[in-house]
Amino acid sequence: MNFRITRFNNIWTKCLLYLLLNSHAVLCLYEDQIGKFDWLQHYVGKLKYGTFDSGSMDRIVVATESNVLAAISAKTGEILWRQVLEKGSRGDIKLLHVPAQGFEIQSTGNRFSRASDIITVSGVSPTLIRGWNPNTGALEWEWSILPTSPEKAERGQWFKNEINLYHVVPVLGSHIEVTEYIATSGQQVKQTTSRISAAWIRDEKCVLVAPFYACALQDQIMAIDLLSDNAQIIARPLKSLAMGSPTPLHGIPGIVQDHQLYWLTSERQMQLQLEDTVLVDDSILDGDQLLLHASVNRTQNTLKLSATKVADGSPYDAINFVSDYPDTLGCPKLTAVRCKTSSESSKNRGQLACRLLLSSEDGALTLIQAAKIKWTREEALASVETADFLDLTLSDAEGAIEEELNNKNGDVLGALQRRIASQIGHVKNLVLHVLGLGPAPSKAQKAGLVRDDFGLHKMLIVVTTSGKIFGIDNVSGKQHWVRYMPEVTNFANDQSIKLLVQRTSRFYPLAAQCVVLGRHRQTKNGILYQFNPITGQPVNGGIIQLPYKIHQISLLHQTGPDFLKGLLILDEKNDAHVVPDSSAKYAHNFYIFSAEQEKATIYGYLIEFHNNKLSTTPIWTVNLGGLNNGQKIVAIEGKNPIEHVHSQGRVLADRSVLYKYNNPNLVAVATHGPDNIHKYIMNIHLLDVVSGSIVFSMSHKRVRPPLHMVHSENWLVYAYYNDKVRRTEVSSLELYEGKTQANSTVWSSLDAPPLPLVERQTYILPVAVASMKETITEKGITSKHILIGLSTGAIAEMSWALLDPRRPITSPEKAREEGIIPYMPELPMPHEIIINYNQSISNLKGIYTAPSGLESSCLVFAHGLDIFVTRVAPSKTFDLLKEDFDYFLITVVLVILTSTSYIVKLFASKKAIKQAWK
């Protein structure tokens, strides 16, 4: 009996010890907070390969340019599973093979056969061949090869035939190397690689049409069968000289050249209607093959689809329909088709029903069924260029109040008249609302696009690489409007498309206005698009094509009576232009700078306005190229133009003030280049772009990009990779004027202010950095935090106290009184600072922040392969009541206190009267 009691007590002791040791595992969000203030949307990217999975009619297997393999539901368009491969060329998918037959169960019954796996080939050095489970997307097997010559292997191509996988490497002007592998094991079938002589191979003139390798050379087609033991060269004459590279046509041994289809197995030819052609071979068609043709009518916004039989070229009437095709989608490309005949029990038995998968130039993925668009995935959001948050418009009632209080001229009688008219209108609307005859709400009010009390509801404007602009609700994630500009592309030197806000929604009744600037795809000149960010409608005609190339752009600081900021543009000749022309006078005495990345040279200009003309005067030049001009500019970071500095100084332990060096014209410039001693060096320069003076410089030896910088107030934080110790480091700089301030009212870079005192420190991060951004609030009162996007897809909210360069190595009493934490080289990365908890963002690229109406809250937008929106409160929600605030209790307490005060007042007055009669 004692033995049983002792054993029972030991079990309880072990359970209690286990609970104590694992108590940290319950640190997490409350369940009701998940998804309440944030949302995440997953994408796969622009389509590269796509096909319907024959094992499941409801599954589409796709491979994208973003190195993603995924399965998408054909019914809803949702992602069933997704695998994100390696970044860059290592994860570039060269081949996607989906088995034509369904699953084959092995004798064990527990596992699928390898013949049923989806096969992908990705990368070059090494090349990874993988097999994926089509049901779950799990990796089943993998093998790799390492080429002896990576440069030659870059042109390599792959194709699958039965159970074998063939690697084809063309050597220009010489021969073709063909290596045969067993697809599932990687075992080489033959001892040596086959070499097929082909001296006619030319660059960008050849294409693989398995099992043929064909080239379009001048007036003929040259091809060879790669699987033949005695390979013979096939020659076919062309109707005209070959102008471009040939295009393979999936499903038949032939190539397309200048809208003409040439068979490689016969002398047959066929004239094609359009380039957008896809081949389908279904058993329901008795083995007949069809060529499908798609054409878009932009006038009526329709898509016409027709089919032609391959055997005799006759039209196939069963597939001939017209479907709606919105103008927000680019030119379509037919990617995959799946047809079936309806069952005899259905209403339209025996009829042919087809599903068509289309990928458009803008990256959208569309499924058409029964001559209607069933769903569309806006995959352009997988490649976001820039974004911004915009305030929504006022509601009808708030707009009426603004009109009522609009008394700029001081007209008292007019203000009284508007007041009386407003009150009469309110009474009228109340009566009509009771009778059910009230006025219809505006479009913005119907869509819920009205400003809330705390300014947390905003419109998120997103511009993508393909030239697509989205207006997204930051609360719900709904896409309210979409605009597509196919002629807009990025600037040179990998500079992204620019989004500038010319006027916000604060100037009622004037509407907000934004402008998107880019480069024309054909002419390479500048192009801009002006639009209303709330409705998405174009302003002043929308697109304006400029007759010059854009060299630099900036918003003017001053505005006219319409509160619209003009756009200052420098062309390639450094001549100044202002859009609109009426704002040219506000560009007088405007300083602007430009940089040449390769030469590491920065130029400063002064813009002046005289006699209704703008003139540009070069005033300074700074060369940061170093010795032999080996340095190149890798990053330039300025301050946020909407930032407010709340405190001008920092209170020390002795109650003195250390004033901040708040130079609004300060820009951080990072250069990187080789070095004879230290291999390579990165230099950080703080440059005043008005006077051209270098305020501070420092060097980092054996440091290489990627570099991420955050520049705000009087400090700079940047992250880089230290190649010497092989780790990610973060350096912080803080600039002070000293204990006396040169000018407490106006800053002028032309007055030659004293050089600042610089505090600097370096810390170690345990993970790689993908992006960095600082939080920003309306008045700048809230503490600054640094949002660090990690390579793992997480976003860490790092307090500035941890990055403070004044952290002492020891812990003196002065530092403790100031609240400075003692220095530790490693920055902690607890799970509590991850603002997106388990909502990881694949291939995180950038973070954008914006202030809300609450001083405590900051809005955050992060993008990569996915997009994520949330809000953070660096100093907690000090200006907002908690959700569980007890309103009933505070009301009862106030009523009791108010009643008690009146009762006490009554007794006090009676007591005073009695004392007066004594």
Side-chain angles (χ1 to χ4, degrees):
M1 184 67 180
N2 292 334
F3 172 75
R4 292 182 178 179
I5 295 175
T6 304
R7 183 180 178 183
F8 183 77
N9 292 335
N10 290 337
I11 292 175
W12 274 103
T13 303
K14 291 180 180 180
C15 292
L16 182 61
L17 182 62
Y18 177 81
L19 291 174
L20 291 175
L21 292 175
N22 291 275
S23 59
H24 65 279
V26 299
L27 297 176
C28 60
L29 289 175
Y30 290 108
E31 186 178 359
D32 59 346
Q33 291 179 333
I34 296 176
K36 189 170 185 177
F37 305 116
D38 58 77
W39 51 264
L40 176 70
Q41 294 179 358
H42 296 284
Y43 296 94
V44 297
K46 189 175 182 179
L47 197 68
K48 192 173 183 180
Y49 306 106
T51 181
F52 287 91
D53 186 5
S54 59
S56 173
M57 284 291 292
D58 187 35
R59 186 163 54 225
I60 304 172
V61 181
V62 298
T64 69
E65 295 179 1
S66 301
N67 302 348
V68 173
L69 174 69
I72 298 175
S73 172
K75 293 181 179 179
T76 62
E78 297 179 353
I79 299 176
L80 301 177
W81 54 261
R82 184 183 70 170
Q83 292 290 345
V84 182
L85 306 186
E86 294 81 2
K87 295 182 180 178
S89 59
R90 292 194 62 188
D92 185 20
I93 299 176
K94 306 290 186 181
L95 173 69
L96 171 65
H97 174 75
V98 180
Q101 297 178 354
F103 298 134
E104 299 176 7
I105 306 299
Q106 289 184 349
S107 58
T108 57
N110 298 323
R111 186 178 177 183
F112 293 114
S113 170
R114 283 194 169 192
S116 304
D117 291 337
I118 298 171
I119 298 176
T120 60
V121 179
S122 59
V124 175
S125 182
T127 300
L128 299 174
I129 298 89
R130 293 163 168 155
W132 309 88
N133 187 312
N135 251 0
T136 62
L139 180 64
E140 298 284 353
W141 49 267
E142 178 186 44
W143 55 274
S144 63
I145 60 172
L146 190 65
T148 56
S149 177
E151 295 80 8
K152 187 172 63 175
E154 285 286 347
R155 293 187 294 270
Q157 295 174 285
W158 295 77
F159 72 94
K160 189 175 184 296
N161 185 42
E162 295 180 352
I163 63 171
N164 293 336
L165 201 62
Y166 295 86
H167 186 202
V168 181
V169 179
V171 180
L172 301 180
S174 179
H175 62 276
I176 303 174
E177 298 179 358
V178 181
T179 309
E180 184 178 0
Y181 301 94
I182 297 177
T184 55
S185 64
Q187 182 181 355
Q188 191 168 338
V189 177
K190 297 180 181 179
Q191 293 290 337
T192 60
T193 298
S194 302
R195 288 176 176 242
I196 302 174
S197 179
W200 37 267
I201 296 178
R202 298 293 181 267
D203 192 17
E204 296 182 355
K205 295 291 183 180
C206 302
V207 67
L208 177 66
V209 188
F212 295 91
Y213 195 81
C215 299
L217 305 173
Q218 296 182 353
D219 60 347
Q220 64 178 342
I221 296 175
M222 305 289 289
I224 193 167
D225 190 350
L226 301 176
L227 300 183
S228 177
D229 295 332
N230 298 318
Q232 299 293 327
I233 297 178
I234 302 171
R236 298 283 183 268
L238 292 173
K239 286 190 174 182
S240 60
L241 292 178
M243 301 301 295
S245 59
T247 304
L249 196 59
H250 177 71
I252 61 173
I255 64 173
V256 178
Q257 183 70 37
D258 298 330
H259 302 281
Q260 192 79 14
L261 174 60
Y262 298 90
W263 269 261
L264 300 178
T265 55
S266 65
E267 298 287 342
R268 188 182 171 196
Q269 300 178 12
M270 179 184 288
Q271 181 69 31
L272 299 181
Q273 299 179 13
L274 291 170
E275 293 182 358
D276 294 328
T277 305
V278 66
L279 187 71
V280 59
D281 183 1
D282 274 74
S283 58
I284 59 171
L285 304 177
D286 298 327
D288 197 2
Q289 293 178 322
L290 297 179
L291 286 174
L292 276 73
H293 312 277
S295 61
V296 176
N297 187 337
R298 287 299 182 186
T299 305
Q300 301 178 357
N301 290 330
T302 57
L303 172 70
K304 182 180 180 181
L305 190 77
S306 59
T308 303
K309 290 184 179 181
V310 175
D312 53 5
S314 61
Y316 188 76
D317 297 333
I319 302 178
N320 190 356
F321 62 85
V322 177
S323 172
D324 293 333
Y325 196 79
D327 56 357
T328 58
L329 299 177
C331 293
K333 179 180 179 182
L334 289 169
T335 304
V337 179
R338 172 59 59 84
C339 298
K340 68 174 182 178
T341 53
S342 56
S343 60
E344 296 186 1
S345 59
S346 62
K347 182 178 180 181
N348 301 320
R349 63 179 182 272
Q351 292 188 2
L352 191 66
C354 293
R355 285 178 174 175
L356 290 87
L357 182 66
L358 282 75
S359 62
S360 51
E361 286 182 344
D362 58 297
L365 196 61
T366 306
L367 185 83
I368 295 181
Q369 182 176 344
K372 294 181 180 179
I373 294 180
K374 191 169 185 179
W375 50 259
T376 298
R377 290 187 57 86
E378 293 289 358
E379 294 300 333
L381 289 170
S383 56
V384 175
E385 286 285 320
T386 183
D388 204 349
F389 290 90
L390 270 297
D391 289 326
L392 296 174
T393 56
L394 296 174
S395 63
D396 296 342
E398 291 174 337
I401 295 174
E402 288 289 334
E403 287 287 349
E404 179 185 335
L405 299 178
N406 187 9
N407 189 24
K408 297 181 180 179
N409 299 325
D411 185 7
V412 178
L413 185 60
L416 178 61
Q417 183 179 359
R418 287 193 299 271
R419 178 70 175 177
I420 294 174
S422 175
Q423 295 297 330
I424 294 174
H426 287 322
V427 174
K428 177 183 176 181
N429 290 336
L430 178 62
V431 174
L432 292 176
H433 180 71
V434 172
L435 297 176
L437 303 174
S442 60
K443 292 183 178 179
Q445 202 145 1
K446 285 181 180 178
L449 298 178
V450 292
R451 196 180 308 171
D452 60 333
D453 295 333
F454 298 134
L456 297 171
H457 190 190
K458 293 180 181 285
M459 178 68 77
L460 175 61
I461 309 300
V462 176
V463 183
T464 65
T465 306
S466 61
K468 215 163 188 180
I469 309 173
F470 295 86
I472 304 176
D473 195 317
N474 76 312
V475 174
S476 63
K478 178 183 177 182
Q479 298 174 10
H480 288 284
W481 55 264
V482 181
R483 292 292 178 271
Y484 178 46
M485 299 181 295
E487 61 271 21
V488 178
T489 186
N490 293 344
F491 292 101
N493 298 328
D494 297 329
Q495 293 295 310
S496 62
I497 302 173
K498 305 301 178 183
L499 171 65
L500 301 175
V501 181
Q502 292 184 284
R503 183 173 59 212
T504 63
S505 300
R506 298 184 178 183
F507 305 102
Y508 187 86
L510 298 174
Q513 182 172 328
C514 292
V515 59
V516 171
L517 291 100
R519 185 174 56 160
H520 199 280
R521 291 185 184 271
Q522 280 74 36
T523 64
K524 306 302 180 185
N525 289 336
I527 183 172
L528 57 90
Y529 175 68
Q530 296 176 323
F531 63 98
N532 184 330
I534 308 302
T535 62
Q537 296 300 319
V539 177
N540 299 327
I543 294 180
I544 300 176
Q545 296 189 18
L546 305 177
Y548 48 82
K549 296 180 180 179
I550 297 178
H551 188 58
Q552 182 63 287
I553 55 177
S554 178
L555 282 176
L556 298 178
H557 304 315
Q558 299 181 17
T559 62
D562 57 354
F563 302 101
L564 186 71
K565 290 185 178 181
L567 192 65
L568 177 63
I569 303 175
L570 283 184
D571 60 16
E572 69 275 12
K573 298 179 181 179
N574 292 327
D575 294 333
H577 309 269
V578 173
V579 179
D581 297 333
S582 58
S583 299
K585 58 184 178 180
Y586 301 115
H588 185 60
N589 286 340
F590 191 90
Y591 292 87
I592 193 171
F593 76 98
S594 64
E596 291 189 14
Q597 183 178 11
E598 296 298 324
K599 297 181 180 179
T601 305
I602 303 178
Y603 306 92
Y605 304 95
L606 173 63
I607 311 298
E608 294 179 305
F609 182 76
H610 294 295
N611 300 326
N612 294 327
K613 290 185 179 180
L614 289 169
S615 62
T616 306
T617 304
I619 54 177
W620 56 266
T621 302
V622 175
N623 189 350
L624 305 176
L627 185 64
N628 300 325
N629 291 326
Q631 296 278 317
K632 297 180 181 179
I633 296 177
V634 294
I636 297 180
E637 191 70 27
K639 297 182 180 180
N640 197 324
I642 65 173
E643 179 183 61
H644 289 84
V645 180
H646 176 69
S647 176
Q648 295 292 327
R650 182 169 183 168
V651 180
L652 303 180
D654 57 359
R655 300 300 182 266
S656 62
V657 178
L658 189 61
Y659 289 99
K660 299 177 181 178
Y661 184 83
N662 289 321
N663 185 350
N665 306 316
L666 200 64
V667 170
V669 182
T671 62
H672 186 267
D675 183 74
N676 296 330
I677 300 175
H678 303 289
K679 198 174 182 181
Y680 32 73
I681 288 181
M682 180 180 290
N683 297 319
I684 307 295
H685 307 276
L686 295 179
L687 180 68
D688 190 309
V689 294
V690 171
S691 63
S693 61
I694 296 179
V695 176
F696 176 76
S697 296
M698 68 178 302
S699 299
H700 297 275
K701 301 175 181 63
R702 294 197 65 179
V703 162
R704 60 180 174 86
L707 176 71
H708 305 280
M709 306 175 68
V710 172
H711 191 192
S712 177
E713 293 192 7
N714 66 320
W715 50 264
L716 174 71
V717 174
Y718 54 96
Y720 51 86
Y721 183 78
N722 192 324
D723 203 31
K724 183 179 180 180
V725 291
R726 299 183 179 179
R727 67 190 181 196
T728 301
E729 295 180 352
V730 178
S731 293
S732 60
L733 303 177
E734 207 168 15
L735 288 75
Y736 294 96
E737 287 191 51
K739 294 190 176 182
T740 57
Q741 201 169 14
N743 193 330
S744 60
T745 55
V746 178
W747 177 274
S748 176
S749 296
L750 304 177
D751 292 341
L755 292 178
L757 306 174
V758 181
E759 300 282 351
R760 50 185 173 177
Q761 194 59 269
T762 300
Y763 302 91
I764 302 170
L765 267 180
V767 291
V769 177
S771 180
M772 292 180 67
K773 194 68 176 180
E774 82 280 11
T775 59
I776 184 170
T777 53
E778 189 76 18
K779 302 297 182 182
I781 302 173
T782 306
S783 301
K784 288 275 187 178
H785 281 192
I786 309 298
L787 301 178
I788 304 176
L790 309 179
S791 59
T792 59
I795 302 176
E797 184 182 3
M798 186 72 67
S799 173
W800 170 249
L802 296 174
L803 297 168
D804 193 343
R806 298 183 69 244
R807 290 177 61 180
I809 297 177
T810 59
S811 182
E813 185 178 349
K814 292 183 179 180
R816 290 197 300 269
E817 192 168 347
E818 290 182 37
I820 302 177
I821 306 171
Y823 175 75
M824 288 289 290
E826 296 85 4
L827 289 173
M829 198 65 65
H831 296 290
E832 293 83 5
I833 68 173
I834 305 300
I835 63 174
N836 57 335
Y837 45 103
N838 66 340
Q839 305 285 354
S840 298
I841 305 168
S842 299
N843 296 340
L844 180 62
K845 296 178 182 177
I847 302 174
Y848 293 90
T849 57
S852 66
L854 287 174
E855 174 58 29
S856 63
S857 300
C858 171
L859 304 179
V860 179
F861 169 68
H863 67 89
L865 187 60
D866 310 319
I867 59 175
F868 175 74
V869 171
T870 186
R871 66 189 194 209
V872 295
S875 299
K876 307 300 181 183
T877 53
F878 57 85
D879 53 357
L880 192 66
L881 294 176
K882 294 183 179 180
E883 297 179 359
D884 56 351
F885 184 79
D886 198 338
Y887 293 94
F888 177 77
L889 178 61
I890 195 67
T891 303
V892 172
V893 170
L894 288 176
V895 169
I896 293 175
L897 290 177
T898 304
S899 303
T900 304
S901 63
Y902 275 104
I903 294 173
V904 171
K905 181 180 179 181
L906 179 62
F907 285 131
S909 61
K910 289 182 178 180
K911 183 178 180 182
I913 293 174
K914 289 181 180 179
Q915 289 180 350
W917 282 99
K918 289 183 179 179

